[in-house]
Amino acid sequence: METIDRPKATPGSAPNGTPARARSEKKKLVGTRALKLLWDTHSVVGIVIGLALFVIFYAGAFALYRAELHAWADPALRNAETRLTIDEAVAPIFAEQPPAQGTDVQVNYPFRERTYYYFRYQTAVGDTTELVSATVSPSTGEIIREDGRGGRSSLAEILYLLHFFGQAGFWGELLAGFVAVFFLFAVVSGVLMHLRNLPKDWHTFRPKIKLRTALADAHTVLGLVGLPFAAMYAISGAFLALLIILLAPSVLVIFDGDAEVANTLVAGFEMPPHEPTGEPAEMLPFSMYLDALPEEWDGAVEPTLMLVHGWGDEAGIVQVFADPVSSLTAGPQAIFKASTAELLVSNNPEVGTALGGTTAALVNMHYARLGPGTPIAKILYFLLALATAAVILTGNILWVLVRRPKDPKATPRLHRVLARLTVGVGCGLVVAVPVLFLTTLLLPLDSPSLHTWEHVAFFGVWVAMIAASFAGPSAVWAARWQLILAGVLTLIVPLANGALTGGWLWTSGANGWWDIVTVDVGFFLMAVTLLWTALRLKPNALEPAHA
């Protein structure tokens, strides 16, 4: 965005009659005309997608710690030394509501962001079937939820879905994909704009000078430092969010609309026939299929999902999916005959299709799944995501500052609205996040309305902060008090967790609850940063009174 001076013509002419401006442009990698176009493109694209992009990155920073947030919100999902086997976890559920013959059964294992067992299938009720879905604690076997919506708290899911506007379903994800595409334009144009001044721009930061200079420096420095991260996220985010519309034409044109043929190519093998015959067959324990997995899977991958097609039927098969433990490659699949655990077909963990391998690599990079280096990568991703969010907000404010007339009172109303809206959306989200955490702590976990109140508290406070940003003497004044409020609430979160659940830092560390320690330490550090930033802001630095 507005981080450099507009290009100016070089006065005078060269001795040979060639204009000095033309001679100067020959020496530049980016000419004056091109630089102006880049400037305008960068500004317009940044303004159009800026606020949406801020939400994506800020929520994405928390989405990186989805598993930790699940455990923080629900003591039943916290780390434990023992873990029930899949058969031990599902036995009470199957005993009460056995799967109907010939139906499909889905079993998800605790792995990475998912900290619980999840079961979904149809059970027989008279002449019909009824859906059964349950979330089960892997350490106690306790049924946490019976509606298949994850843990008892929706805290982690709210922030995860917000990362790609998942609350709006398919259309929200589509919007996130197009925002990522335009973000790539902004990244490329920003690099070209700063190309000639790259050696000095990436480390020039003057926070004690006037607000416009400090914001410009922060925008440039943070943008350049996080450049590889931003580019990776723009590419991977666009690919993953728009994958369905990228594949749809291929399925329609190349495969005549037959999705199964496309799935066969992606998987690398064809699914064996498994239409139910009506002939009953005894099902084996899930552990038998795991024991029969190919030897080359040992240590390289970890099973994450099991699908039983045709439960209790002679033609039934069991499909096992796995994810690599320490690589970016696609996970393999194995298929067994359900009644005998005979391995029918599988693909090697080290071999995958081009689309499957590309998708897996982008997913793993996008979510910082980098094997043994994942904990460090997640911390780095978290910091870079917050830095990128700061780049976006400073860019919006700079756009207003650069265009402010000499008489601040003559600032166009549209510019003032943009400044206030930037504060409301940005600082308002920062306030709403700790409110969500405190709501989860204060309401009973077994309350059937917990999910509803979490959504109401989070989005309600966010909307209220947006509205409040239009009150008061200036946008910076609104930003200052909202950041102070966010800092105080953020500081209260780990203190409230210790007081209400006993999860003090020293207690959590002694019990091995490192997920809880991670979240609480993160909140302490964020609180200090927010309060420091708020105190550094001068209330009337951006616009005149009554703006």
Side-chain angles (χ1 to χ4, degrees):
M1 292 186 182
E2 317 301 339
T3 58
I4 60 174
D5 294 330
R6 284 187 176 278
K8 298 179 181 179
T10 304
S13 301
N16 61 3
T18 303
R21 175 181 176 181
R23 186 182 65 176
S24 176
E25 288 193 7
K26 289 181 179 180
K27 298 180 180 179
K28 297 178 182 177
L29 293 175
V30 180
T32 303
R33 171 68 176 167
L35 189 60
K36 184 179 184 302
L37 291 175
L38 286 172
W39 177 288
D40 293 338
T41 301
H42 186 77
S43 299
V44 172
V45 170
I47 289 299
V48 171
I49 69 170
L51 296 182
L53 205 55
F54 169 81
V55 173
I56 288 175
F57 273 98
Y58 194 78
F62 289 91
L64 289 166
Y65 289 92
R66 189 176 169 194
E68 288 82 355
L69 295 182
H70 274 301
W72 188 93
D74 193 338
L77 296 177
R78 294 181 180 177
N79 291 339
E81 294 182 359
T82 59
R83 173 180 288 183
L84 298 177
T85 67
I86 184 65
D87 294 303
E88 292 171 336
V90 79
I93 302 173
F94 279 5
E96 184 176 348
Q97 296 176 299
Q101 182 176 336
T103 60
D104 292 348
V105 176
Q106 174 183 338
V107 176
N108 291 88
Y109 293 82
F111 187 65
R112 287 179 175 155
E113 293 84 8
R114 189 190 312 109
T115 58
Y116 46 79
Y117 284 116
Y118 172 65
F119 306 100
R120 181 183 176 90
Y121 59 92
Q122 297 283 341
T123 187
V125 180
D127 296 331
T128 62
T129 59
E130 181 179 287
L131 178 65
V132 175
S133 60
T135 301
V136 178
S137 167
S139 57
T140 65
E142 174 188 1
I143 298 178
I144 299 173
R145 289 191 68 88
E146 296 182 350
D147 56 7
R149 296 171 64 186
R152 286 178 286 190
S153 167
S154 61
L155 182 154
E157 297 308 309
I158 287 176
L159 296 174
Y160 170 71
L161 291 174
L162 188 62
H163 170 56
F164 53 90
F165 307 133
Q167 282 85 357
F170 168 76
W171 297 108
E173 188 171 350
L174 198 63
L175 172 63
F178 282 113
V179 167
V181 172
F182 284 107
F183 179 47
L184 188 58
F185 282 120
V187 170
V188 173
S189 59
V191 171
L192 293 176
M193 283 165 49
H194 291 281
L195 203 56
R196 60 180 179 177
N197 298 318
L198 197 60
K200 70 179 183 65
D201 280 353
W202 78 273
H203 62 75
T204 302
F205 185 48
R206 298 159 288 179
K208 295 184 179 181
I209 307 182
K210 61 183 180 179
L211 178 64
R212 173 174 167 177
T213 302
L215 289 176
D217 289 346
H219 183 80
T220 303
V221 171
L222 293 176
L224 291 176
V225 169
L227 178 61
F229 172 82
M232 181 275 291
Y233 256 78
I235 295 171
S236 62
F239 178 83
L240 297 176
L242 301 177
L243 183 60
I244 185 170
I245 63 173
L246 293 174
L247 289 180
S250 300
V251 174
L252 291 174
V253 176
I254 300 176
F255 306 112
D256 295 325
D258 192 340
E260 288 192 7
V261 176
N263 288 335
T264 296
L265 292 179
V266 172
F269 58 77
E270 186 175 354
M271 285 278 289
H274 55 275
E275 289 296 323
T277 62
E279 294 292 329
E282 183 177 353
M283 292 297 299
L284 302 176
F286 290 109
S287 58
M288 293 192 65
Y289 307 114
L290 299 180
D291 294 339
L293 290 173
E295 292 183 2
E296 58 266 26
W297 286 35
D298 292 344
V301 297
E302 183 172 339
T304 60
L305 171 65
M306 186 178 295
L307 296 177
V308 181
H309 303 281
W311 179 273
D313 191 273
E314 180 59 33
I317 61 173
V318 177
Q319 192 173 11
V320 179
F321 297 82
D323 274 3
V325 175
S326 59
S327 71
L328 297 178
T329 58
Q333 300 179 41
I335 300 179
F336 301 90
K337 184 173 178 59
S339 59
T340 64
E342 174 191 356
L343 180 63
L344 301 178
V345 63
S346 71
N347 56 359
N348 191 296
E350 299 177 356
V351 179
T353 62
L355 177 59
T358 301
T359 303
L362 288 174
V363 167
N364 289 329
M365 287 192 296
H366 193 86
Y367 289 101
R369 300 169 180 170
L370 304 179
T374 294
I376 296 176
K378 285 170 69 171
I379 294 174
L380 182 61
Y381 273 43
F382 181 82
L383 296 175
L384 289 173
L386 295 182
T388 306
V391 168
I392 295 161
L393 286 191
T394 54
N396 272 24
I397 298 299
L398 282 170
W399 191 90
V400 175
L401 287 174
V402 168
R403 288 161 178 79
R404 189 170 69 174
K406 292 183 179 179
D407 180 8
K409 295 182 179 179
T411 302
R413 183 174 181 81
L414 178 61
H415 294 183
R416 299 185 183 190
V417 170
L418 175 63
R420 301 287 186 136
L421 194 60
T422 299
V423 169
V425 173
C427 298
L429 178 57
V430 178
V431 173
V433 167
V435 169
L436 171 61
F437 279 73
L438 292 173
T439 302
T440 302
L441 282 176
L442 293 173
L443 294 179
L445 277 174
D446 56 359
S447 170
S449 58
L450 176 60
H451 280 215
T452 300
W453 281 112
E454 286 175 327
H455 282 80
V456 169
F458 178 73
F459 290 103
V461 168
W462 193 7
V463 170
M465 291 298 104
I466 294 174
S469 67
F470 287 87
S474 71
V476 170
W477 181 88
R480 193 168 189 261
W481 74 258
Q482 289 195 22
L483 287 176
I484 291 175
L485 177 61
V488 172
L489 291 173
T490 301
L491 183 60
I492 292 175
V493 168
L495 299 177
N497 181 44
L500 297 176
T501 70
W504 299 103
L505 281 176
W506 53 88
T507 304
S508 299
N511 290 329
W513 297 339
W514 300 114
D515 295 341
I516 314 306
V517 173
T518 299
V519 176
D520 284 349
V521 169
F523 267 84
F524 273 124
L525 296 177
M526 288 186 68
V528 172
T529 303
L530 290 170
L531 292 172
W532 179 86
T533 303
L535 295 176
R536 297 285 298 178
L537 287 176
K538 296 180 180 180
N540 295 311
L542 180 60
E543 52 185 325
H546 309 298

